[in-house]
Amino acid sequence: MNSQNNKTRWEKMNEVSERIKQLRDNFIDTIPEITADRVRLITESYRLNQHVPYCLKRARMFSHLLENMDIYIQPGELIVGSMTGKLRGVPVFPEYDASFILKELDSFYDRSADRFYVEEETKAELRSILPQWMNISLSDIAKQKIPPESLQAATDCVFILTALGSGVGHVIVDYEYVLQHGMKSHIRNLERLCSNTSNNQEKKEYYEASITTCQAIVKLACRYAELAQEMSESEPDKNIKAELIKIANICRKVPYEPAGDFHEALQSLWFLHLGIQLEGNGHSISLGRFDQYLNSYYVTFDDKALAEELIHCLWLKFSEINKIRDEVSSVAFGGYPMFQNITLGGQTAKGTSAVNELTSLCLEATAKVGMHQPSISFRWFLGCSEKHFQHALEIAAYGTGMPAFFNDEVLVPNMLQAGYSLEQARNYAIVGCTETSVGGISEPWLTGGFINLLKILELTINNGCDPISGDVFSMKTGDVESFSCFEEFFNAYLMQLAHYLSVHVECNNMLDILHGELTPNIFVSTMIQDCQQQGRSSMQGGARFNSTTINAVGIANVADSLAVIKKLVYEDRKLSWTELKQALLDNFENHEALRQTILNHVPKYGNDEAYVDLLAQQVHEFLYEEFKKYKNPRGGRYFNALYSIACHVLFADRVGATPDGRKKGMVLADGGVSCSQGRDIKGPTAMLNSVVKLDPYKAIGSTLLNMKFHPDIFFKSNNLNKISALLKSYFMMKGQHIQLNVVDVQTLREAQKNPEKYASLVVRVAGFSVLFTTINAQLQEDIILRTENCSGG
């Protein structure tokens, strides 16, 4: 950031119109509210269509919902369309899981994180309707099919099955096609396919279902047109009246017709995006390369001031998207994140710089609007100019944790490994946190879940017994006291890891099939190429590219723990297994001398120490080879990723004390390839050197690295150049991803004490940013305890 143009984040947030300030204040001042109209409407529709195939059942449900759901237009907004009839209203998706809503209905408002208001009338209606979904929801059916020991392993957090009670999401559809051609053309193509399909009943049903969903989104837009027109007729203010009439005219046109200008394009895109959110309750519905397919609309739009205000309105609409998670998940996914990722920059299909005018406008909007959504990602490659890269860094300096930075020099080759052509690979975009996909042709099933590397180490140490739950699992690899060398113990750990990965995959594949059978994403599939030719949804293998990704959590803790076992137990023989196991059982109480030895005299990942970094590398490469063995039901490959989102916090109480000196209740290492909190004592360069030893070409599912900087560093002369050089050096060493929290501990502590004064303080958790005061204290502490870098070198 230019030292002659020092602005605080708060000053930057004032560079918006009064309209945006008011809309932003309204959002922040409103507590999310659970509503009942979706539950009521889809229950009606399912009852009326109980004997029809699921693809038609889902399509008719979608149509019934969009034709009858409550709608509203907030005063002042220029982009319209909401999930419910209330600001920050949140619908319920009982077809996935109804039980937790009933169980927690009276406690949503009193939670420590992700609070929801529920009117008493709404509670009564939900209590009346939700029991009808018991034993027929996807979650209930899945639990009947998954083997009991596998369910117990999931309960004990050996792994997490994220698709067990939630929609899949994690997709980028072909927004560009609909913007250019309109739903009218799309519907005609589907009608032609349907009429030409007479000998395949399943395909015919799929086409009928697809047509129904496309017509439904057009009807929803018409409903908003009617509402805007009605509001305009009673509006005394001439300017507001004119805005409402314009909104009405736009909604009558799009998404049915092709978008004619920038305003129409944004409104059309928003209706498509909203429809996807209402069809299923998966998160990480991402927008792909937003600056590429919308730039032609922007450059030909005459009123650039209005264009900027429209982008600001859209950014606020993204923040409205929300979902209800159970109380446990609200810890791991605290702050109401929805992971709606917009990818900027990078390169074109020909390998030249793709940065354009809209890229800069989107970056500026992220700083000026100052909200936690959408997630913004910036692609760097060797052809990226220093000017554009530093602009992205300047935006990061304002402290929203965005943009996150991604390295094309690694990710394009990884996309080639995944089977994409060079042109397709160069067109990759970020989905959710840090995962990669190509919009409109892929069903990446990034809800493969999380495998807890540290918990599996704990099970290895205790020969299949979980010391936290007391559960004893069938997988035994021997008493550790019987191992004569470190290699024997390490091999036992890898055997346990391979076993639980196979169990995890088995459960995932079962869930994959159930989602395709019970909750096929018909509307989503209408905007994924090849689904039309295949005549089936993307959840049933209709997409051109299919894969499943599982995320490995805790590799830094495992590497540090293995280093302790290798050095103190086997090499130096200063510590017996009996002594170590007792210390772990005692949570290091009365073993502080041992813990200090562990913390201060054994190498730690994140300090460029080959001794421990090699252990992390060996675990990572073992995972890479194991994942190669598996296929999903859609015929796609399994990919491994190294990131946790915020499961490292969720696992804190589910993993006992571990050999790295971590006590039970302390969070695991954040991010994915980040080191344990505060253990990178040799500076940022050493930490990055450790990270790049984990071969990024063997983490096709992605990695995640957090770094925290004190804000003052960006205001010191020439420091932006130093930070730019640091990040580019990391990328030249083949670092895959990095994201920055630019915030000081004092501000965070003040926000804990006086949350009402810091309601708009945004921080980066993992692959997402949140309003700091909406997450629980444990996750807040995790962010505070991360190493704060105070220099650019």
Side-chain angles (χ1 to χ4, degrees):
M1 187 175 293
N2 191 318
S3 59
Q4 296 178 349
N5 188 32
N6 294 343
K7 292 181 181 179
T8 67
R9 175 168 181 261
W10 317 110
E11 290 171 323
K12 192 72 172 178
M13 287 174 63
N14 276 321
E15 294 181 6
V16 294
S17 66
E18 290 303 315
R19 178 201 309 273
I20 300 303
K21 289 178 184 177
Q22 186 61 57
L23 290 171
R24 184 174 58 200
D25 289 346
N26 292 346
F27 176 88
I28 291 172
D29 293 342
T30 303
I31 297 175
E33 179 177 348
I34 294 174
T35 62
D37 60 331
R38 187 183 185 279
V39 168
R40 181 191 328 114
L41 292 168
I42 77 158
T43 304
E44 290 173 1
S45 181
Y46 265 56
R47 188 183 303 116
L48 292 170
N49 295 283
Q50 56 185 310
H51 299 302
V52 304
Y54 266 98
C55 68
L56 287 170
K57 183 181 295 187
R58 292 294 290 173
R60 292 174 186 178
M61 173 277 293
F62 186 71
S63 180
H64 187 64
L65 173 64
L66 269 55
E67 287 184 41
N68 296 281
M69 62 182 279
D70 294 338
I71 64 171
Y72 87 114
I73 294 175
Q74 185 182 182
E77 64 181 3
L78 299 175
I79 306 293
V80 300
S82 300
M83 295 188 78
T84 74
K86 297 181 178 182
L87 175 61
R88 301 196 77 177
V90 189
V92 176
F93 294 78
E95 67 268 42
Y96 295 94
D97 188 1
S99 59
F100 86 90
I101 300 287
L102 279 172
K103 180 181 177 182
E104 301 181 20
L105 202 49
D106 288 323
S107 60
F108 280 115
Y109 189 72
D110 299 318
R111 299 199 307 196
S112 60
D114 286 14
R115 296 166 60 220
F116 293 93
Y117 174 71
V118 195
E119 290 184 346
E120 290 302 318
E121 184 179 347
T122 302
K123 289 182 183 180
E125 188 169 9
L126 291 174
R127 287 193 174 106
S128 172
I129 298 174
L130 288 177
Q132 300 173 47
W133 290 90
M134 295 303 179
N135 299 319
I136 62 170
S137 71
L138 186 144
S139 177
D140 290 338
I141 293 172
K143 288 174 182 177
Q144 294 167 16
K145 292 179 176 290
I146 296 174
E149 184 168 283
S150 301
L151 273 179
Q152 193 57 56
T155 300
D156 290 348
C157 287
V158 180
F159 52 79
I160 292 180
L161 300 170
T162 52
L164 182 59
S166 174
V168 175
H170 292 83
V171 70
I172 304 171
V173 301
D174 195 348
Y175 293 103
E176 184 175 11
Y177 178 89
V178 181
L179 296 185
Q180 291 181 353
H181 300 279
M183 273 293 173
K184 176 171 66 174
S185 174
H186 206 36
I187 291 169
R188 286 175 180 171
N189 287 336
L190 288 165
E191 288 174 338
R192 176 181 53 80
L193 288 166
C194 188
S195 65
N196 292 337
T197 303
S198 57
N199 59 350
N200 188 319
Q201 185 61 26
E202 287 188 6
K203 277 191 174 185
K204 193 172 185 66
E205 289 166 354
Y206 171 76
Y207 293 135
E208 290 175 0
S210 298
I211 293 166
T212 298
T213 62
C214 291
Q215 291 171 336
I217 201 69
V218 173
K219 290 176 183 176
L220 179 66
C222 290
R223 291 185 65 202
Y224 273 100
E226 292 170 5
L227 177 59
Q229 186 68 45
E230 181 183 326
M231 291 171 65
S232 73
E233 291 169 0
S234 59
E235 176 56 55
D237 186 292
K238 292 182 179 179
N239 292 328
I240 297 175
K241 179 188 280 290
E243 285 180 355
L244 288 167
I245 292 172
K246 183 179 181 181
I247 288 170
N249 291 334
I250 289 173
C251 293
R252 287 190 191 100
K253 180 179 179 181
V254 297
Y256 185 64
E257 300 280 357
D261 65 18
F262 192 59
H263 195 167
E264 291 177 4
L266 294 186
Q267 182 62 70
S268 183
L269 174 115
W270 181 249
F271 277 134
L272 302 177
H273 189 70
L274 180 63
I276 297 171
Q277 301 284 357
L278 288 165
E279 182 180 37
N281 79 331
H283 56 72
S284 300
I285 312 300
S286 297
L287 283 298
R289 303 190 71 186
F290 186 92
D291 59 346
Q292 302 305 298
Y293 61 81
L294 280 165
N295 190 54
S296 61
Y297 296 97
Y298 173 70
V299 295
T300 57
F301 196 67
D302 292 334
D303 192 339
K304 291 296 189 283
L306 175 59
E308 182 176 33
E309 193 171 43
L310 287 168
I311 285 287
H312 293 173
C313 284
L314 183 63
W315 262 223
L316 288 167
K317 294 302 288 185
F318 283 123
S319 293
E320 288 182 24
I321 299 295
N322 203 351
K323 71 178 289 183
I324 308 162
R325 299 179 174 92
D326 63 42
E327 187 167 14
V328 173
S329 298
S330 72
V331 175
F333 303 98
Y336 311 107
M338 288 300 285
F339 313 95
Q340 303 161 91
N341 213 305
I342 284 175
T343 304
L344 305 174
Q347 56 192 300
T348 67
K350 295 183 178 180
T352 59
S353 176
V355 174
N356 56 40
E357 292 181 46
L358 189 55
T359 310
S360 299
L361 184 66
C362 292
L363 287 170
E364 288 291 326
T366 297
K368 291 178 180 179
V369 178
M371 295 301 295
H372 63 300
Q373 288 287 325
S375 295
I376 300 296
S377 298
F378 185 86
R379 286 175 44 180
W380 176 90
F381 77 117
L382 284 171
C384 181
S385 73
E386 182 65 15
K387 172 186 174 183
H388 294 140
F389 188 53
Q390 288 210 9
H391 183 213
L393 282 171
E394 287 178 6
I395 299 303
Y398 289 112
T400 63
M402 295 180 277
F405 296 90
F406 293 83
N407 185 3
D408 279 12
E409 305 306 321
V410 171
L411 292 170
V412 170
N414 279 3
M415 298 303 283
L416 293 173
Q417 281 194 74
Y420 295 90
S421 69
L422 179 59
E423 291 76 16
Q424 290 166 340
R426 285 174 172 163
N427 197 34
Y428 82 87
I430 305 304
V431 180
C433 292
T434 59
E435 309 97 308
T436 53
S437 185
V438 177
I441 59 175
S442 308
E443 178 52 74
W445 230 76
L446 296 162
T447 46
F450 303 85
I451 189 161
N452 189 341
L453 303 180
L454 193 58
K455 186 70 178 180
I456 294 170
L457 184 74
E458 184 176 51
L459 292 176
T460 307
I461 292 171
N462 293 282
N463 195 21
C465 177
D466 182 355
I468 304 303
S469 67
D471 292 321
V472 179
F473 294 98
S474 59
M475 181 59 180
K476 308 288 185 184
T477 45
D479 294 326
V480 292
E481 292 86 350
S482 67
F483 299 148
S484 61
C485 62
F486 174 74
E487 287 69 26
E488 286 187 27
F489 172 79
F490 189 51
N491 287 333
Y493 172 64
L494 297 182
M495 287 175 63
Q496 291 272 2
L497 183 52
H499 168 73
Y500 284 107
L501 180 58
S502 70
V503 173
H504 194 162
V505 168
E506 180 184 12
C507 294
N508 257 339
N509 286 348
M510 188 178 299
L511 287 168
D512 196 323
I513 293 168
L514 285 176
H515 276 273
E517 290 176 349
L518 302 178
T519 54
N521 49 354
I522 305 301
F523 183 63
V524 166
S525 298
T526 65
M527 294 176 283
I528 295 181
Q529 298 171 26
D530 291 80
C531 286
Q532 275 56 265
Q533 285 69 35
Q534 297 285 345
R536 59 179 183 266
S537 76
S538 63
M539 289 311 310
Q540 296 164 315
R544 189 177 312 175
F545 293 94
N546 295 280
S547 58
T548 302
T549 296
I550 292 177
N551 315 305
V553 181
I555 196 165
N557 299 97
V558 167
D560 290 351
S561 294
L562 290 172
V564 169
I565 292 167
K566 182 180 181 182
K567 182 172 179 58
L568 298 185
V569 176
Y570 289 105
E571 291 182 350
D572 297 350
R573 297 193 178 275
K574 293 181 177 179
L575 180 65
S576 70
W577 269 115
T578 301
E579 292 169 326
L580 178 56
K581 288 172 75 173
Q582 189 61 51
L584 299 180
L585 186 64
D586 294 339
N587 202 28
F588 287 108
E589 297 299 324
N590 300 318
H591 302 275
E592 190 57 30
L594 170 60
R595 185 167 181 267
Q596 290 304 314
T597 297
I598 289 170
L599 293 176
N600 298 306
H601 298 289
V602 180
K604 299 292 182 295
Y605 171 81
N607 295 285
D608 197 12
E609 296 268 7
Y611 186 91
V612 63
D613 293 348
L614 178 61
L615 293 169
Q617 182 181 345
Q618 288 175 319
V619 173
H620 173 48
E621 293 186 354
F622 177 80
L623 285 168
Y624 174 73
E625 295 299 328
E626 285 297 303
F627 273 89
K628 285 182 183 180
K629 298 176 181 179
Y630 300 108
K631 296 279 188 180
N632 64 37
R634 291 165 286 113
R637 295 166 56 187
Y638 266 83
F639 296 134
N640 62 305
L642 295 174
Y643 68 84
S644 69
I645 305 185
C647 283
H648 62 287
V649 177
L650 177 62
F651 292 158
D653 293 318
R654 310 308 291 271
V655 183
T658 44
D660 58 342
R662 177 195 146 275
K663 293 184 176 183
K664 179 179 180 290
M666 294 178 65
V667 299
L668 279 61
D670 73 88
V673 295
S674 308
C675 63
S676 292
Q677 291 81 350
R679 296 193 183 178
D680 49 335
I681 59 176
K682 293 186 177 180
T685 301
M687 188 271 288
L688 294 176
N689 285 340
S690 285
V691 171
V692 297
K693 293 174 189 174
L694 298 173
D695 189 340
Y697 298 112
K698 293 182 178 178
I700 301 176
S702 83
T703 65
L704 190 153
L705 173 63
N706 286 316
M707 284 191 75
K708 187 168 75 174
F709 286 93
H710 193 286
D712 286 352
I713 184 176
F714 285 89
F715 293 99
K716 293 179 181 176
S717 178
N718 205 40
N719 262 8
L720 189 65
N721 292 331
K722 293 180 182 178
I723 296 171
S724 173
L726 177 71
L727 266 61
K728 286 193 292 185
S729 295
Y730 168 64
F731 281 159
M732 291 297 289
M733 293 189 296
K734 307 307 180 188
Q736 191 180 112
H737 158 272
I738 191 168
Q739 56 198 25
L740 312 178
N741 248 327
V742 183
V743 64
D744 62 285
V745 171
Q746 182 179 352
T747 297
L748 297 177
R749 290 296 185 200
E750 285 296 319
Q752 284 182 317
K753 295 176 184 176
N754 303 291
E756 68 284 350
K757 294 182 180 180
Y758 293 87
S760 58
L761 176 62
V762 176
V763 295
R764 193 77 171 183
V765 175
F768 61 100
S769 294
V770 298
L771 295 166
F772 181 74
T773 58
T774 65
I775 59 179
N776 79 346
Q778 194 174 28
L779 189 51
Q780 289 178 345
E781 284 299 312
D782 168 51
I783 295 166
I784 289 170
L785 292 174
R786 296 174 188 175
T787 300
E788 184 176 285
N789 293 286
C790 298
S791 67

